[in-house]
């Protein structure tokens, strides 16, 4: 019964979290966006103390149920392991905990967060890793399926579906998502929860707490016949049937052992202290001094990781002109990258973002994509080659679970200056080709661009755009709609600190 409840809840959570990354309309977030906000690391970065304490209390009472019910990456590994079990049953075996690796990875993760390398630390963060897999590998398949339905519906005279553009937002991020996907499949197919119990820093931290959980699977030695069936079905490899021991720091409370035990020797019950009845594993790492060190280190790290890091400094570069042929736009080399409205500043965004790609998935304007900069690697940045940041769209601020992008209204967005437009005179087709244009001024939503005569003494001379930086909000409409190719004659330079106008 407990296993059925766990499987049902896990299936619902996994499906809904996955749909959050697949839903390019952003409508599901109004109902189920809270599932992203109760993930452990996003809750820590968002300073959502209530959720963090709730997850810690949940682990202290019931064990690592977060890993087997709430965490999408953990459930994904369970799915792969379940499929592998169809080919070969009773395939697991007990293995001692690799404590040096588990706690070593956690310490490295902590140091990366403290030193401002949160984007790189996110490589092994479970929610972020699954988000990249879903948005880079699953989402294109979902969108192609949608486009096929849109094609069929259009032929039938229906417009219930509409086509969406499928494109590769970042090759490095796609490669990392693919490699992560393959590694997880191999590990889960062969040994079940290897990643969760050797690499995942969240699993390691919660494992410290689950050692002392109130309810946990326990072995009744008076009923156990030593068949080892529990061990051979434990995907966490934490049950030593010969010694009647369970390593509760690795147990994810999946209840598989209870379901498989034919003698009824394993029960999920309240913790007892009768050593004659219940045997629990005591790895060397459970010594009071070392246990205290790791517990205190993990708690300090979650607060230290929230300290402000140094602002992102990019080399000063200039934008070169381009050929006047019809071709795709190229991204300008901005001195300061652009972060989404609501992120407050580049430092705040970098400090809180886990690079889960959820905001990228719901950006219908195609302006958000993972960064290739080493300091903010895979964290979303704004670029305007395929669209511009429409003033009426605030979807990214609605879905961000970490506080990297704060919730804003449409009215707020029209007053937030994330950057300002810069004109490159030699790229403008008025100067280059001797034609009239004014496209940037016509489409500027804040009327920050005016057309003035090239020759002040000749009112009939061609007109050039002039940018009023005080009114510009950096939406990128001018950059996106500029007919100059491959580089726009006008582009947006980001602001380290966002301003209100």
């Amino acid at each position: 019964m407990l296993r059925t409840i766990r499987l049902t809840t896990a299936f619902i959570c996994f499906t809904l979290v996955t749909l959050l990354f697949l839903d390019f309309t952003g409508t599901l977030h109004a109902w189920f966006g809270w599932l992203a906000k109760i993930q452990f690391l996003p809750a820590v970065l968002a300073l959502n103390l209530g959720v963090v304490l709730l997850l810690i209390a949940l682990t202290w009472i019931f064990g690592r149920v977060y890993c087997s019910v709430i965490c999408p990456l953990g459930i994904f590994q369970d799915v792969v392991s379940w499929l592998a079990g169809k080919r070969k049953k009773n395939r697991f075996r007990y293995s001692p905990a690799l404590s040096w690796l588990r706690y070593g990875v956690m310490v490295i993760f902590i140091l990366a967060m403290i030193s401002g390398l949160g984007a790189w630390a996110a490589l092994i963060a479970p929610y972020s890793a699954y988000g990249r897999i879903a948005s880079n590998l699953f989402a294109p398949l979902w969108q192609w399926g949608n486009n096929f339905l849109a094609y069929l519906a259009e032929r039938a005279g229906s417009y219930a579906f509409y086509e969406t553009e499928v494109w590769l937002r970042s090759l490095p991020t796609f490669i990392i998502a693919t490699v992560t996907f393959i590694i997880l499949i191999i590990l889960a197919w062969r040994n079940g929860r290897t990643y969760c119990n050797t690499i995942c820093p969240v699993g390691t931290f919660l494992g410290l707490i689950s050692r002392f959980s109130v309810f946990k699977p326990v072995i009744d030695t008076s009923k156990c016949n030593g068949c080892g069936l529990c061990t051979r079905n434990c995907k966490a490899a934490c049950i030593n049937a010969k010694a009647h021991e369970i390593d509760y720091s690795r147990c994810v409370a999946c209840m598989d052992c209870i379901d498989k035990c034919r003698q009824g020797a394993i029960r999920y019950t309240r913790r007892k202290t009768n050593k004659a009845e219940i045997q629990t594993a005591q790895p060397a790492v459970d010594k009071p001094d070392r246990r205290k060190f790791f517990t205190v280190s993990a708690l300090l790290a979650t607060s230290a990781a929230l300290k402000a890091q140094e602002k992102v400094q990019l080399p000063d570069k200039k934008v070169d002109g381009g050929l006047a042929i019809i071709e795709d736009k190229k991204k300008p080399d901005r001195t300061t990258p652009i972060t989404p409205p609501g992120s407050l500043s580049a430092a705040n965004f970098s400090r809180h973002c886990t690079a889960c790609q959820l905001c990228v998935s719901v950006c219908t304007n195609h302006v958000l994509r993972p960064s290739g900069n080493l300091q903010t690697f895979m964290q979303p940045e704004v670029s305007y080659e395929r669209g511009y940041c429409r003033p009426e769209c605030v979807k990214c601020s609605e879905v961000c679970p970490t506080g990297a992008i704060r919730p804003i209204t449409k009215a707020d967005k029209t007053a937030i200056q994330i950057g300002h437009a810069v004109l490159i005179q030699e790229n403008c087709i008025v100067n280059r080709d001797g034609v009239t244009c004014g496209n940037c001024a016509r489409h500027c939503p804040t009327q920050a661009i005016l057309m003035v005569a090239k020759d002040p003494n000749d009112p009939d001379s061609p007109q050039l755009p002039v940018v009023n930086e005080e009114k510009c909000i950096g939406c990128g409409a001018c950059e996106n709609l500029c007919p100059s190719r491959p580089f726009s004659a006008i582009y947006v330079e980001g602001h380290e600190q966002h301003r209100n106008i």
Side-chain angles (χ1 to χ4, degrees):
M1 182 63 180
L2 289 175
R3 182 172 181 270
T4 302
I5 294 174
R6 198 269 303 176
L7 289 174
T8 303
T9 308
F11 173 79
I12 294 173
C13 287
F14 179 73
T15 301
L16 293 177
V17 171
T18 302
L19 287 175
L20 291 180
F21 289 95
L22 303 184
D23 178 32
F24 50 85
T25 66
T27 55
L28 284 179
H29 292 270
W31 293 283
F32 306 115
W34 57 271
L35 283 170
K37 296 180 180 180
I38 63 171
Q39 304 299 321
F40 189 82
L41 185 58
V44 171
L45 294 178
L47 293 178
N48 197 334
L49 187 60
V51 172
V52 174
L53 293 178
L54 176 63
L55 294 177
I56 291 177
L58 188 69
T59 304
W60 177 70
I61 297 173
F62 299 108
R64 281 177 57 182
V65 293
Y66 169 85
C67 300
S68 57
V69 175
I70 300 175
C71 177
L73 193 68
I75 303 170
F76 170 73
Q77 293 173 82
D78 284 348
V79 172
V80 175
S81 180
W82 175 75
L83 293 174
K86 295 293 183 180
R87 184 181 62 88
K88 183 180 179 181
K89 299 184 181 298
N90 302 325
R91 59 195 180 89
F92 300 115
R93 61 184 178 85
Y94 171 75
S95 61
L98 299 176
S99 299
W100 64 271
L101 179 58
R102 297 174 65 196
Y103 296 106
V105 170
M106 187 178 72
V107 169
I108 292 174
F109 181 84
I110 292 170
L111 293 177
M113 296 293 290
I114 293 175
S115 60
L117 299 176
W120 290 96
L123 284 170
I124 59 174
Y127 169 73
S128 302
Y130 182 76
R132 289 189 293 271
I133 291 173
S135 60
N136 286 276
L137 304 182
F138 300 162
L141 299 176
W142 179 270
Q143 292 169 344
W144 280 325
N146 169 82
N147 291 348
F148 179 69
L149 292 177
Y151 172 82
L152 296 179
E154 184 179 355
R155 294 298 181 272
S158 171
Y159 294 93
F161 298 90
Y162 63 90
E163 289 191 8
T164 181
E165 185 179 4
V166 183
W167 58 289
L168 183 62
R169 291 172 172 83
S170 170
L171 181 59
T173 303
F174 176 81
I175 293 174
I176 288 176
T178 303
V179 171
T180 305
F181 180 70
I182 293 173
I183 291 176
L184 286 172
I185 287 182
I186 293 174
L187 292 178
W189 188 275
R190 291 170 58 88
N191 298 308
R193 288 277 188 149
T194 301
Y195 173 83
C196 293
N197 289 329
T198 55
I199 303 298
C200 179
V202 174
T204 301
F205 173 74
L206 295 180
L208 291 170
I209 301 172
S210 66
R211 291 179 183 275
F212 314 103
S213 60
V214 176
F215 293 93
K216 59 180 63 176
V218 295
I219 301 175
D220 188 341
T221 55
S222 64
K223 294 182 180 180
C224 179
N225 62 0
C227 68
L229 198 59
C230 55
T231 298
R232 296 196 297 272
N233 285 276
C234 178
K235 57 199 170 194
C238 66
I239 302 179
N240 186 348
K242 294 181 179 179
H244 299 99
E245 296 175 345
I246 300 177
D247 182 356
Y248 293 111
S249 70
R250 292 185 289 162
C251 176
V252 294
C254 66
M255 314 299 176
D256 287 352
C257 56
I258 299 175
D259 189 64
K260 293 293 182 179
C261 183
R262 298 169 182 172
Q263 309 300 321
I266 303 180
R267 296 177 298 139
Y268 184 74
T269 185
R270 187 170 182 176
R271 182 177 66 221
K272 297 181 181 180
T273 57
N274 186 354
K275 296 182 180 180
E277 180 179 354
I278 301 173
Q279 303 288 336
T280 57
Q282 297 292 334
V285 74
D286 197 31
K287 294 179 181 180
D289 54 340
R290 299 182 68 183
R291 182 174 63 210
K292 181 179 179 181
F293 167 75
F294 287 123
T295 304
V296 172
S297 298
L299 291 175
L300 289 176
T302 56
S303 58
L306 298 172
K307 291 183 178 180
Q309 62 184 17
E310 294 182 358
K311 294 183 178 180
V312 179
Q313 297 292 336
L314 297 179
D316 187 15
K317 298 181 180 179
K318 295 183 179 179
V319 177
D320 297 326
L323 300 176
I325 61 176
I326 303 301
E327 57 181 305
D328 291 338
K329 280 183 176 288
K330 291 184 178 180
K331 177 184 175 182
D333 289 324
R334 311 180 202 277
T335 302
T336 304
I338 309 171
T339 58
S343 58
L344 304 182
S345 66
N348 177 77
F349 185 71
S350 178
R351 183 169 63 248
H352 290 87
C353 179
T354 63
C356 71
Q357 315 299 315
L358 189 57
C359 57
V360 177
S361 299
V362 301
C363 181
T364 56
N365 302 315
H366 304 302
V367 300
L368 287 180
R369 63 200 66 183
S371 171
N373 183 276
L374 293 180
Q375 292 179 287
T376 57
F377 188 54
M378 295 190 303
Q379 293 182 341
E381 66 178 8
V382 179
S383 200
Y384 302 121
E385 292 77 63
R386 290 178 174 266
Y388 65 93
C389 193
R390 297 181 179 273
E392 70 275 10
C393 177
V394 293
K395 288 183 179 179
C396 60
S397 75
E398 294 173 344
V399 304
C400 181
T402 67
I405 308 176
R406 305 293 176 87
I408 58 174
T409 64
K410 296 177 182 179
D412 293 333
K413 186 175 181 180
T414 57
I416 296 176
Q417 189 181 62
I418 62 176
H420 65 274
V422 177
L423 177 66
I424 307 299
Q425 293 276 359
E426 58 269 25
N427 284 3
C428 184
I429 63 174
V430 176
N431 286 326
R432 191 180 61 195
D433 302 328
V435 299
T436 59
C437 182
N439 211 31
C440 52
R442 284 194 299 272
H443 294 90
C444 180
T446 62
Q447 298 181 343
I449 302 176
L450 298 177
M451 301 301 293
V452 300
K454 183 177 180 180
D455 183 358
N457 299 320
D458 182 6
D460 295 328
S461 66
Q463 291 187 320
L464 289 173
V466 174
V467 180
N468 183 346
E469 294 184 8
E470 297 300 322
K471 297 178 67 176
C472 177
I473 61 174
C475 68
C478 54
E479 179 180 331
N480 175 252
L481 298 172
C482 177
S484 179
R485 295 292 191 278
F487 291 104
S488 295
I490 189 167
Y491 78 101
V492 178
E493 189 62 62
H495 288 169
E496 289 278 4
Q497 189 80 31
H498 293 181
R499 310 165 188 169
N500 289 324
I501 60 173

